[in-house]
Amino acid sequence: MDGWYLGTIDVQQLVAHLMNLRAKIALGAQNDEAAQDRHLQTAVREFLSSTMASLCGHNTAVASPSWMDRSLKQLMDDGFLDGPRPGHRVVLCDEECRAHAVISQSDLVRFVAAQSGCLGSVVRGKSLDELGYLKPHQPREVLSVPRDLPAIAAFELMDRNDVGGVAVVGEGGRLVGNLSASDLRGMVAIEFGSLTRVEEFMLLCQEDQVTLSPDDSLQLLLETFSRTGLHRLYVVDAGQAPVAVVTLTDVVRFLARTCTCEPSWDRTLTLTLT
């Protein structure tokens, strides 16, 4: 089974797994804060010792070698956007199901950012506001948490809403950071108790905060995703309050719906990856 594709691990699966362990271990201790803290520490230790097999899922398209003759539009429609829950990557396997390459949403956005011909004249140069990325037409509600909220409560909010991150806000609703499911990577049990606040947890995995304004263009959005490697970007108003959040999946959906009449989208994956 050497090299066989068995599945992928998504960061949102990590959050769901931690929440399930916490609920199972803490059952019956809801009114005892000290017991809750001990149970959370136990859940985190069990979480950190989980095997890959217990976390492995299949929310990823598995493609045969024939996919290399498909177009970029087909990659989006059949790979990233097919099914009830969008996939973040496509795994290219041979006839024996051995994985040879992975194409992610980030790879696609990076390619589009470098190829100005991919953006049609209808959208090229238009602002995020003009393209409908802001209220009341934004792709999704901006979920936010105060910086002093217990981190475990913020991860519960992510799990409950099936999202990979939440905005962290300070006084006046000003954006001060982002808490992501991927921040669970590198966590150790001693650092994560029931009283650990979001702002304390963010210090362990802080990344530079990158934002956009409503007047910024789609091209700048793509270039910012490409440059930073982030999976979500916040659009803020003049007071630095988040008014929209744009994810890679939102961008892929938008491109599939709006821009794929351009000749660049007829390129095959073989031409794109070489």
Side-chain angles (χ1 to χ4, degrees):
M1 293 178 62
D2 236 8
W4 283 14
Y5 171 74
L6 299 177
T8 57
I9 298 175
D10 187 273
V11 290
Q12 285 176 240
Q13 289 173 271
L14 298 181
V15 175
H17 184 58
L18 176 59
M19 293 304 106
N20 288 337
L21 288 174
R22 181 189 181 229
K24 180 179 68 175
I25 293 172
L27 193 63
Q30 289 87 347
N31 298 319
D32 186 336
E33 190 172 279
Q36 284 187 29
D37 193 61
R38 290 194 303 272
H39 292 322
L40 177 58
Q41 294 283 333
T42 301
V44 170
R45 284 192 291 270
E46 187 171 334
F47 169 78
L48 294 174
S49 63
S50 299
T51 64
M52 293 292 181
S54 68
L55 295 169
C56 206
H58 297 280
N59 186 36
T60 296
V62 182
S64 68
S66 64
W67 270 57
M68 296 303 289
D69 295 323
R70 297 195 181 193
S71 69
L72 293 175
K73 177 166 173 33
Q74 288 173 316
L75 169 67
M76 291 192 292
D77 290 340
D78 301 334
F80 296 135
L81 302 178
D82 186 39
R85 182 174 180 178
H88 295 156
R89 59 195 63 82
V90 173
V91 180
L92 298 178
C93 296
D94 61 20
E95 290 83 353
E96 297 180 348
C97 208
R98 295 179 187 274
H100 286 275
V102 177
I103 305 174
S104 68
Q105 290 182 341
S106 294
D107 295 328
L108 175 69
V109 169
R110 192 175 300 114
F111 171 79
V112 176
Q115 304 286 328
S116 59
C118 287
L119 297 182
S121 57
V122 175
V123 300
R124 188 182 297 118
K126 287 195 174 182
S127 70
L128 299 179
D129 194 4
E130 291 172 317
L131 293 172
Y133 269 114
L134 308 184
K135 294 177 179 178
H137 307 295
Q138 64 185 39
R140 67 184 74 245
E141 176 189 2
V142 181
L143 286 178
S144 63
V145 298
R147 63 198 308 172
D148 59 352
L149 185 76
I152 189 64
F155 285 115
E156 284 176 335
L157 181 66
M158 289 184 215
D159 186 43
R160 195 161 59 247
N161 289 273
D162 194 26
V163 297
V166 292
V168 181
V169 296
E171 292 183 7
R174 182 177 180 275
L175 183 71
V176 296
N178 173 73
L179 186 68
S180 168
S182 60
D183 292 336
L184 288 175
R185 296 177 298 186
M187 178 183 67
V188 295
I190 197 170
E191 295 170 339
F192 196 50
S194 62
L195 298 181
T196 303
R197 305 295 171 183
V198 167
E199 60 185 347
E200 297 169 325
F201 194 83
M202 287 171 56
L203 292 175
L204 305 174
C205 45
Q206 187 60 50
E207 58 189 21
D208 292 336
Q209 184 60 43
V210 181
T211 60
L212 295 171
S213 75
D215 295 327
D216 286 331
S217 67
L218 175 63
Q219 181 66 35
L220 180 59
L221 172 73
L222 296 173
E223 291 173 353
T224 304
F225 270 127
S226 177
R227 173 175 54 83
T228 62
L230 296 173
H231 291 181
R232 68 184 51 77
L233 290 169
Y234 293 99
V235 182
V236 298
D237 62 18
Q240 293 299 298
V243 294
V245 57
V246 184
T247 68
L248 288 174
T249 298
D250 295 329
V251 172
V252 172
R253 280 202 185 101
F254 180 83
L255 294 174
R257 185 178 70 248
T258 310
C259 303
T260 50
C261 59
E262 298 298 313
S264 297
W265 293 98
D266 292 328
R267 290 178 57 135
T268 65
L269 298 187
T270 300
L271 291 174
T272 302
L273 297 175
T274 56

